[in-house]
Amino acid sequence: MTGVAEISAAWAPAGAAVLLGVAAAAAALDGALAARADGRPLRAGVGLPVAETARLFRQRRRNTVSADVLLRWIGVGGLLVVALLKAAVVPLGGAVLADLPTGLVWFNALDVTVWALVWLVGWGQNSAHALVGGYRFLAQALAYELPLMFALTAPAVAAASLRPADIVAAQADLWFVLWMPVAFAVYCLALVGFSVWGPLETPVGADVAGGVLADLSGIDRWLVLVGRWTLLTAGAAFGVTLFLGGGAGPLLPGWTWVLLKTAVLLAALVALRRRLPALRPERIQAAAWLGALPLVLLQVLVVSVVVVGRS
Amino acid sequence: MADLVFWVLSGVAVASGVAVFSVDSMARATYALAASFVAVGLALLLFDLQFLGVITVLMMIMEMAIMAIYMIMFMGMNPALMPMSMVHDKRWAMAAAAGTFVVLAAGAVLVPWPDRAGDPADDLTAAVGEAIMGDKMLVMLTVSPVLFATIVAALVLALPSGRYARLGDHLGRRTAPARDPEGAGR
């Protein structure tokens, strides 16, 4: 019905490679902009993901006293897994790895899993700063999660389906971002929130000595850093699916459009990052519950009225 | 294949359920409980109840992530930061747990399950909702916002930093000193 076919699971490694590649490109752009801001040559920053990977792969793992190794390991390894599982339901043009009828709820369940994982990383290290970071993340999650849930509801109501492929198909005439801008804006903020990134990265902030990253080293630190970048990338790709028409576009095949739009959204987020202040969890609660939540509820109401009026 | 998935998920659910009481850390116990619930949620997928299965996973992880905070904050003398036992009154707890298990398991095994009459509905989630709620659907839909409003109202009244505690009977006053100043005023 929607022209989207599930492809063989043998493509999964290729999909994972694409996700990691796009995430690395975003990290390289971020490094380049950071280098320019510091007055260093751009080239010094572009190589950041590769240099950091090489450095962390050679670094010995540092262990804290009586760390809860099992829980730390679950949290550290889980973030990348969650990002991969999120990316699996994103239709790349006419192909998707997992064509779930409830793909939208699947995505939502996975971003709630991040709650548990980030806290487990913070707890597992048995280190005060890491634990503070873990608690900060849960407080931040309480602010962004409900607005995010209703922002996800808007496209689902408009498409009358929870299947990502149907949501893309419903945008054939008009991209959802054009008539649900509030939902898109809230989605982008929440995306930054569950990726522990940009203005919402106080759980790993310098003011708490790196927060959940405080006592991570070597491969553990690499996995968490990569987990954050891939969560951002998978979230951006899902945002393209929900609001920016997915693979719709002239001339080029659908999958190129998905990648292009994801790259543009990521680049915009990376460019904006340097212009925004850090938002501490306790400062955003009021704005989230008293501002964003009613606004996004109104957005869902508008969408529902339009849908009822159209049918 | 479905049989294998069922047995693996059931095994995980029971094993992590046992772990809840045998580990010595509040964090491990909470997340063992979460793992047990997640396995049950995933088992729902075997009934083709995709929405219910995934939403169960979502709710349980969210709930346990918050629950962990309270468990660590309030359990035990040393706010659960040190190793501690997860059981009290072992003998009676054991008897109650074993008794409950036997009653429930006997029910599941001994009840004469009916044969399937007719075909499964197209939308199983909607059909389950109808079957459980039926004509009480409207009541349930009304009760949940009322419950939610009650929780929010209770919090607003009880919060030490809320306006009722700060302003007392003089809610008309525009400002009052914050008990716990935020941001730059800190």
Side-chain angles (χ1 to χ4, degrees):
Chain A
M1 160 185 148
T2 53
V4 171
E6 205 169 74
I7 51 175
S8 141
W11 283 94
V18 170
L19 180 70
L20 282 167
V22 177
L29 176 65
D30 189 56
L33 291 180
R36 198 182 63 178
D38 289 354
R40 289 180 290 132
L42 277 182
R43 237 180 25 170
V46 171
L48 188 75
V50 178
E52 191 70 356
T53 300
R55 183 179 79 84
L56 291 175
F57 273 25
R58 283 180 299 142
Q59 191 179 53
R60 276 179 68 174
R61 176 182 275 137
R62 184 170 60 219
N63 267 319
T64 37
V65 177
S66 54
D68 194 329
V69 180
L70 174 68
L71 294 187
R72 186 184 68 188
W73 178 79
I74 291 172
V76 163
L79 291 172
L80 180 57
V81 174
V82 163
L84 290 168
L85 290 176
K86 277 183 176 179
V89 296
V90 174
L92 273 178
V96 62
L97 271 169
D99 187 19
L100 300 185
T102 52
L104 193 80
V105 190
W106 172 260
F107 182 88
N108 202 189
L110 286 167
D111 74 55
V112 169
T113 311
V114 176
W115 289 38
L117 297 176
V118 173
W119 186 82
L120 286 174
V121 178
W123 171 269
Q125 294 170 53
N126 194 27
S127 145
H129 287 116
L131 190 58
V132 170
Y135 280 119
R136 268 193 184 182
F137 181 75
L138 284 182
Q140 166 170 315
L142 282 179
Y144 74 69
E145 192 65 44
L146 246 75
L148 170 63
M149 284 180 171
F150 287 105
L152 293 175
T153 309
V157 168
S161 170
L162 296 169
R163 180 194 300 261
D166 292 343
I167 295 176
V168 172
Q171 299 175 70
D173 299 327
L174 187 62
W175 291 3
F176 284 166
V177 65
L178 293 174
W179 60 291
M180 6 183 132
V182 177
F184 180 65
V186 167
Y187 178 83
C188 287
L189 276 171
L191 157 64
V192 170
F194 68 64
S195 309
V196 206
W197 186 88
L200 295 178
E201 68 175 0
T202 56
V204 295
D207 58 334
V208 277
V212 291
L213 288 171
D215 279 296
L216 292 179
S217 52
I219 187 73
D220 293 342
R221 190 181 186 88
W222 184 84
L223 278 169
V224 173
L225 294 177
V226 168
R228 286 167 62 210
W229 278 105
T230 46
L231 276 173
L232 189 74
T233 309
F238 201 73
V240 166
T241 305
L242 291 186
F243 295 101
L244 300 175
L251 299 176
L252 299 173
W255 61 271
T256 10
W257 277 113
V258 177
L259 288 182
L260 265 177
K261 290 174 188 175
T262 306
V264 170
L265 183 55
L266 273 176
L269 290 173
V270 169
L272 270 177
R273 176 189 197 179
R274 245 153 273 290
R275 313 209 163 267
L276 296 171
L279 300 170
R280 290 209 319 269
E282 73 268 29
R283 304 298 301 279
I284 58 175
Q285 298 297 336
W289 285 87
L290 304 175
L293 189 59
L295 277 176
V296 77
L297 280 172
L298 274 177
Q299 174 79 87
V300 175
L301 177 68
V302 169
V303 171
S304 312
V305 169
V306 169
V307 168
V308 169
R310 238 182 2 200
S311 63
Chain B
M1 181 65 187
D3 281 352
L4 183 69
V5 173
F6 171 78
W7 284 110
V8 168
L9 288 175
S10 313
V12 170
V14 173
S16 43
V18 171
V20 171
F21 299 98
S22 53
V23 294
D24 64 353
S25 133
M26 207 40 105
R28 284 195 177 194
T30 314
Y31 279 99
L33 189 55
S36 184
F37 283 137
V38 166
V40 172
L42 292 178
L44 281 177
L45 299 181
L46 294 173
F47 297 106
D48 276 335
L49 291 171
Q50 292 210 2
F51 180 79
L52 289 184
V54 177
I55 212 87
T56 307
V57 172
L58 187 159
M59 302 284 289
M60 288 306 158
I61 295 181
M62 204 175 196
E63 185 182 322
M64 288 304 151
I66 298 299
M67 183 84 96
I69 294 179
Y70 288 97
M71 303 273 265
I72 288 163
M73 204 160 40
F74 294 129
M75 293 281 173
M77 294 299 144
N78 47 7
L81 292 170
M82 305 298 281
M84 60 184 284
S85 164
M86 293 295 132
V87 283
H88 308 287
D89 202 1
K90 279 185 198 163
R91 209 149 33 102
W92 284 108
M94 206 61 165
T100 314
F101 177 80
V102 167
V103 168
L104 290 178
V109 174
L110 298 180
V111 159
W113 294 99
D115 291 327
R116 161 166 280 160
D119 297 320
D122 289 336
D123 188 345
L124 286 173
T125 304
V128 168
E130 282 291 339
I132 295 176
M133 304 277 198
D135 51 356
K136 286 147 200 102
M137 191 75 87
L138 186 64
V139 180
M140 294 306 287
L141 285 176
T142 328
V143 161
S144 47
V146 171
L147 274 177
F148 186 67
T150 312
I151 295 172
V152 172
L155 274 176
V156 166
L157 290 172
L159 208 61
S161 58
R163 59 186 152 163
Y164 291 92
R166 281 190 290 121
L167 300 176
D169 292 336
H170 307 285
L171 280 184
R173 257 192 311 175
R174 292 301 300 162
T175 55
R179 264 179 60 126
D180 188 10
E182 273 197 349
R186 188 174 293 218

